[in-house]
Amino acid sequence: MCSDQKNLHSLRKIVYPWTYPTLHKAKRWYVDFYILDPATNQMRRKKYMLARYKTAKARKEMAKQKILWIVDEVKNGWNPFVKARTTREFTKWETVLARYKEYLQAAGRKGLLKDKTVYDYQSRVKNFEQFLDETDTHLLYIYEFDRSLCVEFLDYLYFDKDVSAVTRNGYRTWLSTFSSWLIDKEYISKDSNPVADIKQMREEEKKREPLPKAALTAMREHLSSQNPHFLLACYIEYYVNIRPDEMRFLKIGYIDITNCIVTLPGKFAKNRKRQEVTVPKKVLKLMIDLGVFNSPSQYYIFGPDLRPSTEQVAVNRFRQEWAKMRNALSWPDTYQFYSLKDTGISENIDKYGLLTARDQARHADAATTNRYAKVKHTAHVELQDWDGDL
């Protein structure tokens, strides 16, 4: 037995806190027990269904065998929530990430990586750490860096951060290089490469469609009764064109009710510039109806439960609420939360003209315009009475 296998064997002799397995004779028979999940440091239930055994006698006999097997395995250090197969897969996440950062710096100094590549990878690491923080994801061991986490990160970038398909694919490439480094250092096994089957996105592909008037009407009626605070988020996305990631930082004090203006501090705006845009009276009326302005001005407009709070809403909450509503309305997955912005901008152009829509969306317009003219982002008084299809 090699030293690594011996160390793993010793590690698996650790007996985590657990409860004795119990047979439940409900509509569906099953055996369950609780054991400490070291990744969360909380007790977690493991359940074994017995429905495939047709008679009560067979279920009782299998339950007895299953309970004896669980007890024997757990006493010998088995834990169903520990997926690692080598001791290095139990290395703390913080330790591995620190070593990776050191590797990037050393590779840059020795010319193994170009300075631009080092800077780019360091930036992607920082954004991955931000994703973990904003989604309240806590990694304890390196083996928890898996496919589902990588997919969630790429979705976070594409849907919540609204990056392009090109940028999303760039992050996918970085995840692949990071995974290769982990495999090379034997922190994860070659056959568990989390990025191997995650495909690149077609860069000309557009995964979302604008929403027709009938869909907007159905959404308004549904959310008015089921989730009016999420309806407010939809209004802000549609009428004010504020990105989901920016919306998390909106505070009540940023709203000037008298002049129908919201001020976006540069520190969280996408282009890092302080800007003012119009808030249509229809949006303000919904905010008043929901009692938003009854809370202190320093409160975030959207907290964990989408109501004003001292805490921010999670970065992926809007996407999660949208998915619930989309399922309830039987919409295609091409109807996305960001479709509201696309649709709102199109209507704004039709009703008020291209320049007004450009300023409301805080766009620099086309690349050519952005190259030759500095766009002045101003609030438009005429938008105060905008009452669109939503």
Side-chain angles (χ1 to χ4, degrees), residues 197-210:
D197 64 344
I198 299 178
K199 297 180 180 179
Q200 294 275 47
M201 181 179 289
R202 289 179 56 191
E203 296 181 357
E204 70 275 16
E205 176 182 7
K206 185 173 182 180
K207 295 187 67 175
R208 63 176 185 259
E209 295 182 83

PDB file of all heavy atoms in Angstrom, residues 197-210:
ATOM      1  N   ASP A 197     -16.567  18.362 -19.711  1.00  0.00           N
ATOM      2  CA  ASP A 197     -17.730  18.270 -20.603  1.00  0.00           C
ATOM      3  C   ASP A 197     -18.606  19.522 -20.587  1.00  0.00           C
ATOM      4  O   ASP A 197     -19.747  19.488 -21.025  1.00  0.00           O
ATOM      5  CB  ASP A 197     -18.565  17.038 -20.256  1.00  0.00           C
ATOM      6  CG  ASP A 197     -19.162  17.112 -18.865  1.00  0.00           C
ATOM      7  OD1 ASP A 197     -18.702  17.950 -18.066  1.00  0.00           O
ATOM      8  OD2 ASP A 197     -20.090  16.324 -18.574  1.00  0.00           O
ATOM      9  N   ILE A 198     -18.063  20.633 -20.082  1.00  0.00           N
ATOM     10  CA  ILE A 198     -18.795  21.908 -20.163  1.00  0.00           C
ATOM     11  C   ILE A 198     -18.455  22.546 -21.496  1.00  0.00           C
ATOM     12  O   ILE A 198     -17.294  22.867 -21.769  1.00  0.00           O
ATOM     13  CB  ILE A 198     -18.413  22.851 -19.007  1.00  0.00           C
ATOM     14  CG1 ILE A 198     -18.765  22.219 -17.661  1.00  0.00           C
ATOM     15  CG2 ILE A 198     -19.135  24.199 -19.164  1.00  0.00           C
ATOM     16  CD1 ILE A 198     -18.376  23.068 -16.466  1.00  0.00           C
ATOM     17  N   LYS A 199     -19.429  22.739 -22.322  1.00  0.00           N
ATOM     18  CA  LYS A 199     -19.186  23.198 -23.688  1.00  0.00           C
ATOM     19  C   LYS A 199     -19.011  24.711 -23.772  1.00  0.00           C
ATOM     20  O   LYS A 199     -19.552  25.463 -22.959  1.00  0.00           O
ATOM     21  CB  LYS A 199     -20.344  22.772 -24.593  1.00  0.00           C
ATOM     22  CG  LYS A 199     -20.500  21.257 -24.725  1.00  0.00           C
ATOM     23  CD  LYS A 199     -21.657  20.912 -25.633  1.00  0.00           C
ATOM     24  CE  LYS A 199     -21.816  19.395 -25.762  1.00  0.00           C
ATOM     25  NZ  LYS A 199     -22.966  19.031 -26.632  1.00  0.00           N
ATOM     26  N   GLN A 200     -18.254  25.128 -24.780  1.00  0.00           N
ATOM     27  CA  GLN A 200     -18.164  26.543 -25.104  1.00  0.00           C
ATOM     28  C   GLN A 200     -19.505  26.997 -25.673  1.00  0.00           C
ATOM     29  O   GLN A 200     -20.206  26.228 -26.341  1.00  0.00           O
ATOM     30  CB  GLN A 200     -17.064  26.786 -26.143  1.00  0.00           C
ATOM     31  CG  GLN A 200     -15.651  26.490 -25.657  1.00  0.00           C
ATOM     32  CD  GLN A 200     -15.036  27.661 -24.916  1.00  0.00           C
ATOM     33  OE1 GLN A 200     -15.660  28.254 -24.050  1.00  0.00           O
ATOM     34  NE2 GLN A 200     -13.813  27.994 -25.259  1.00  0.00           N
ATOM     35  N   MET A 201     -19.860  28.234 -25.428  1.00  0.00           N
ATOM     36  CA  MET A 201     -21.106  28.778 -25.954  1.00  0.00           C
ATOM     37  C   MET A 201     -20.854  29.363 -27.347  1.00  0.00           C
ATOM     38  O   MET A 201     -19.819  30.009 -27.575  1.00  0.00           O
ATOM     39  CB  MET A 201     -21.630  29.871 -25.005  1.00  0.00           C
ATOM     40  CG  MET A 201     -22.939  30.485 -25.433  1.00  0.00           C
ATOM     41  SD  MET A 201     -23.485  31.735 -24.223  1.00  0.00           S
ATOM     42  CE  MET A 201     -23.948  30.662 -22.867  1.00  0.00           C
ATOM     43  N   ARG A 202     -21.749  29.118 -28.246  1.00  0.00           N
ATOM     44  CA  ARG A 202     -21.626  29.724 -29.573  1.00  0.00           C
ATOM     45  C   ARG A 202     -21.661  31.235 -29.420  1.00  0.00           C
ATOM     46  O   ARG A 202     -22.622  31.795 -28.883  1.00  0.00           O
ATOM     47  CB  ARG A 202     -22.759  29.257 -30.485  1.00  0.00           C
ATOM     48  CG  ARG A 202     -22.669  27.805 -30.911  1.00  0.00           C
ATOM     49  CD  ARG A 202     -23.847  27.413 -31.792  1.00  0.00           C
ATOM     50  NE  ARG A 202     -23.963  28.285 -32.959  1.00  0.00           N
ATOM     51  CZ  ARG A 202     -25.012  28.308 -33.768  1.00  0.00           C
ATOM     52  NH1 ARG A 202     -26.065  27.536 -33.512  1.00  0.00           N
ATOM     53  NH2 ARG A 202     -25.049  29.109 -34.814  1.00  0.00           N
ATOM     54  N   GLU A 203     -20.630  31.894 -29.892  1.00  0.00           N
ATOM     55  CA  GLU A 203     -20.477  33.316 -29.591  1.00  0.00           C
ATOM     56  C   GLU A 203     -21.454  34.205 -30.340  1.00  0.00           C
ATOM     57  O   GLU A 203     -21.664  35.351 -29.960  1.00  0.00           O
ATOM     58  CB  GLU A 203     -19.020  33.733 -29.842  1.00  0.00           C
ATOM     59  CG  GLU A 203     -18.081  33.017 -28.881  1.00  0.00           C
ATOM     60  CD  GLU A 203     -16.633  33.393 -29.036  1.00  0.00           C
ATOM     61  OE1 GLU A 203     -16.322  34.193 -29.942  1.00  0.00           O
ATOM     62  OE2 GLU A 203     -15.811  32.884 -28.256  1.00  0.00           O
ATOM     63  N   GLU A 204     -22.061  33.678 -31.394  1.00  0.00           N
ATOM     64  CA  GLU A 204     -23.092  34.456 -32.079  1.00  0.00           C
ATOM     65  C   GLU A 204     -24.475  34.125 -31.525  1.00  0.00           C
ATOM     66  O   GLU A 204     -25.469  34.715 -31.909  1.00  0.00           O
ATOM     67  CB  GLU A 204     -23.057  34.218 -33.585  1.00  0.00           C
ATOM     68  CG  GLU A 204     -23.517  32.830 -34.024  1.00  0.00           C
ATOM     69  CD  GLU A 204     -22.405  31.788 -33.966  1.00  0.00           C
ATOM     70  OE1 GLU A 204     -21.374  32.054 -33.319  1.00  0.00           O
ATOM     71  OE2 GLU A 204     -22.577  30.735 -34.586  1.00  0.00           O
ATOM     72  N   GLU A 205     -24.485  33.167 -30.604  1.00  0.00           N
ATOM     73  CA  GLU A 205     -25.754  32.680 -30.056  1.00  0.00           C
ATOM     74  C   GLU A 205     -26.366  33.705 -29.094  1.00  0.00           C
ATOM     75  O   GLU A 205     -25.679  34.308 -28.282  1.00  0.00           O
ATOM     76  CB  GLU A 205     -25.505  31.372 -29.310  1.00  0.00           C
ATOM     77  CG  GLU A 205     -26.716  30.799 -28.612  1.00  0.00           C
ATOM     78  CD  GLU A 205     -26.374  29.532 -27.855  1.00  0.00           C
ATOM     79  OE1 GLU A 205     -25.183  29.188 -27.777  1.00  0.00           O
ATOM     80  OE2 GLU A 205     -27.311  28.905 -27.341  1.00  0.00           O
ATOM     81  N   LYS A 206     -27.654  33.931 -29.223  1.00  0.00           N
ATOM     82  CA  LYS A 206     -28.371  34.786 -28.292  1.00  0.00           C
ATOM     83  C   LYS A 206     -29.437  33.943 -27.620  1.00  0.00           C
ATOM     84  O   LYS A 206     -30.368  33.466 -28.260  1.00  0.00           O
ATOM     85  CB  LYS A 206     -29.002  35.981 -28.993  1.00  0.00           C
ATOM     86  CG  LYS A 206     -29.653  36.964 -28.033  1.00  0.00           C
ATOM     87  CD  LYS A 206     -30.125  38.212 -28.732  1.00  0.00           C
ATOM     88  CE  LYS A 206     -30.731  39.203 -27.739  1.00  0.00           C
ATOM     89  NZ  LYS A 206     -31.211  40.428 -28.394  1.00  0.00           N
ATOM     90  N   LYS A 207     -29.281  33.736 -26.338  1.00  0.00           N
ATOM     91  CA  LYS A 207     -30.142  32.791 -25.633  1.00  0.00           C
ATOM     92  C   LYS A 207     -31.433  33.420 -25.125  1.00  0.00           C
ATOM     93  O   LYS A 207     -32.236  32.757 -24.522  1.00  0.00           O
ATOM     94  CB  LYS A 207     -29.377  32.175 -24.465  1.00  0.00           C
ATOM     95  CG  LYS A 207     -28.199  31.324 -24.881  1.00  0.00           C
ATOM     96  CD  LYS A 207     -27.589  30.612 -23.710  1.00  0.00           C
ATOM     97  CE  LYS A 207     -28.526  29.570 -23.127  1.00  0.00           C
ATOM     98  NZ  LYS A 207     -27.888  28.786 -22.058  1.00  0.00           N
ATOM     99  N   ARG A 208     -31.627  34.699 -25.350  1.00  0.00           N
ATOM    100  CA  ARG A 208     -32.852  35.311 -24.842  1.00  0.00           C
ATOM    101  C   ARG A 208     -33.598  36.032 -25.965  1.00  0.00           C
ATOM    102  O   ARG A 208     -33.018  36.503 -26.930  1.00  0.00           O
ATOM    103  CB  ARG A 208     -32.540  36.277 -23.707  1.00  0.00           C
ATOM    104  CG  ARG A 208     -31.688  37.481 -24.087  1.00  0.00           C
ATOM    105  CD  ARG A 208     -31.534  38.409 -22.879  1.00  0.00           C
ATOM    106  NE  ARG A 208     -30.820  39.624 -23.221  1.00  0.00           N
ATOM    107  CZ  ARG A 208     -29.546  39.845 -22.955  1.00  0.00           C
ATOM    108  NH1 ARG A 208     -28.830  38.925 -22.349  1.00  0.00           N
ATOM    109  NH2 ARG A 208     -28.964  40.984 -23.300  1.00  0.00           N
ATOM    110  N   GLU A 209     -34.900  36.117 -25.794  1.00  0.00           N
ATOM    111  CA  GLU A 209     -35.779  36.789 -26.743  1.00  0.00           C
ATOM    112  C   GLU A 209     -36.512  37.925 -26.046  1.00  0.00           C
ATOM    113  O   GLU A 209     -36.747  37.873 -24.835  1.00  0.00           O
ATOM    114  CB  GLU A 209     -36.826  35.818 -27.280  1.00  0.00           C
ATOM    115  CG  GLU A 209     -36.297  34.677 -28.092  1.00  0.00           C
ATOM    116  CD  GLU A 209     -37.442  33.800 -28.608  1.00  0.00           C
ATOM    117  OE1 GLU A 209     -38.038  34.159 -29.640  1.00  0.00           O
ATOM    118  OE2 GLU A 209     -37.758  32.800 -27.955  1.00  0.00           O
ATOM    119  N   PRO A 210     -36.903  38.953 -26.791  1.00  0.00           N
ATOM    120  CA  PRO A 210     -37.739  39.998 -26.198  1.00  0.00           C
ATOM    121  C   PRO A 210     -39.112  39.434 -25.859  1.00  0.00           C
ATOM    122  O   PRO A 210     -39.544  38.416 -26.413  1.00  0.00           O
ATOM    123  CB  PRO A 210     -37.819  41.059 -27.302  1.00  0.00           C
ATOM    124  CG  PRO A 210     -37.533  40.312 -28.570  1.00  0.00           C
ATOM    125  CD  PRO A 210     -36.557  39.239 -28.187  1.00  0.00           C
TER     126      PRO A 210
END
